[in-house]
Amino acid sequence: GAGVSQSPSNKVTEKGKDVELRCDPISGHTALYWYRQSLGQGLEFLIYFQGNSAPDKSGLPSDRFSAERTGGSVSTLTIQRTQQEDSAVYLCASSLVEGQPQHFGDGTRLSIL
Amino acid sequence: RKEVEQDPGPFNVPEGATVAFNCTYSNSASQSFFWYRQDCRKEPKLLMSVYSSGNEDGRFTAQLNRASQYISLLIRDSKLSDSATYLCVVIDGGFKTIFGAGTRLFVKA
């Protein structure tokens, strides 16, 4: 596609539920990144994919967070047993190859009640 | 010490002013450097890459100083539309991407 596409745009859910966030990167981009941004805060790196592999998962906040990427394209970020502190905007970015400029999607605004 | 540090501001400047932001980074092996801008409640957007030789894009000039481990962004003839948060981005070893916390700029008429 023309840009990075994320869905849903907004998600409101109750504490304890699982949520799945989707990212569709720019076609041909091999590198894909997930970030989290809380209100008024900077970007927090979560995880990076090169192809379908995630060389570095150290940014994931807890074992409730997991991510996968299939076919070198679409990625999903799953948060299990959501907590109120998970409320944030989750941003996905892709780049042609690692080290190149990253292009961001519009983000998913997640609110945990 | 933070890996990437920026003055959070805010910088309040009148239209037409020249304003400069600096960003320092701690890893001397860092390889790629960028400036992004982020508008309120929007995603970050690439403003420009930063090279040792310096690069200019219209009213914007970016510079990298490897010896002192800082990058800079200069905005000339500020416009109201330049009001945003400017994010310094450093990439280490190919994939580890570190965003600065951002510098807020307000340009006033």
Side-chain angles (χ1 to χ4, degrees):
Chain A
V4 178
S5 178
Q6 291 188 246
S7 61
S9 298
N10 289 281
K11 178 72 176 177
V12 181
T13 192
E14 294 179 345
K15 176 183 172 181
K17 300 286 189 183
D18 297 352
V19 295
E20 191 172 279
L21 312 179
R22 176 189 167 105
C23 173
D24 199 344
I26 293 172
S27 179
H29 280 198
T30 63
L32 185 148
Y33 309 79
W34 282 100
Y35 298 89
R36 178 169 73 172
Q37 188 172 33
S38 300
L39 190 62
Q41 302 298 309
L43 270 72
E44 176 189 1
F45 170 81
L46 297 179
I47 191 169
Y48 150 82
F49 286 92
Q50 177 58 45
N52 294 333
S53 300
D56 182 9
K57 300 182 180 180
S58 63
L60 294 175
S62 75
D63 58 8
R64 296 185 295 104
F65 287 73
S66 63
E68 65 174 13
R69 188 180 185 196
T70 55
S73 182
V74 172
S75 175
T76 54
L77 177 68
T78 302
I79 309 173
Q80 296 178 307
R81 305 181 302 282
T82 51
Q83 303 294 313
Q84 288 188 330
E85 61 263 27
D86 299 334
S87 296
V89 176
Y90 288 80
L91 289 158
C92 176
S94 70
S95 63
L96 190 59
V97 294
E98 57 187 32
Q100 292 297 303
Q102 296 171 29
H103 301 274
F104 284 81
D106 292 341
T108 293
R109 190 171 303 277
L110 177 64
S111 301
I112 309 299
L113 302 178
Chain B
R1 180 185 174 188
K2 290 183 180 178
E3 294 176 283
V4 175
E5 292 199 71
Q6 294 183 250
D7 181 344
F11 285 61
N12 293 290
V13 303
E15 271 189 296
T18 296
V19 61
F21 309 134
N22 280 342
C23 167
T24 60
Y25 60 95
S26 61
N27 186 351
S28 59
S30 297
Q31 298 180 359
S32 304
F33 308 87
F34 307 95
W35 283 102
Y36 281 72
R37 73 170 274 169
Q38 186 173 28
D39 294 285
C40 189
R41 300 174 75 84
K42 296 286 189 180
E43 76 279 13
K45 292 189 176 178
L46 177 68
L47 183 63
M48 57 198 308
S49 302
V50 189
Y51 307 111
S52 298
S53 56
N55 49 307
E56 187 174 311
D57 182 2
R59 297 181 294 107
F60 298 83
T61 301
Q63 194 81 41
L64 165 63
N65 185 318
R66 285 193 181 273
S68 301
Q69 293 181 212
Y70 76 84
I71 68 173
S72 63
L73 177 67
L74 182 77
I75 305 174
R76 291 181 298 278
D77 188 24
S78 299
K79 310 291 185 190
L80 294 176
S81 58
D82 293 334
S83 297
T85 297
Y86 290 83
L87 305 172
C88 163
V89 180
V90 175
I91 299 183
D92 295 347
F95 72 86
K96 184 179 178 185
T97 306
I98 306 161
F99 278 76
T103 299
R104 297 179 69 189
L105 172 65
F106 293 101
V107 181
K108 300 185 177 182

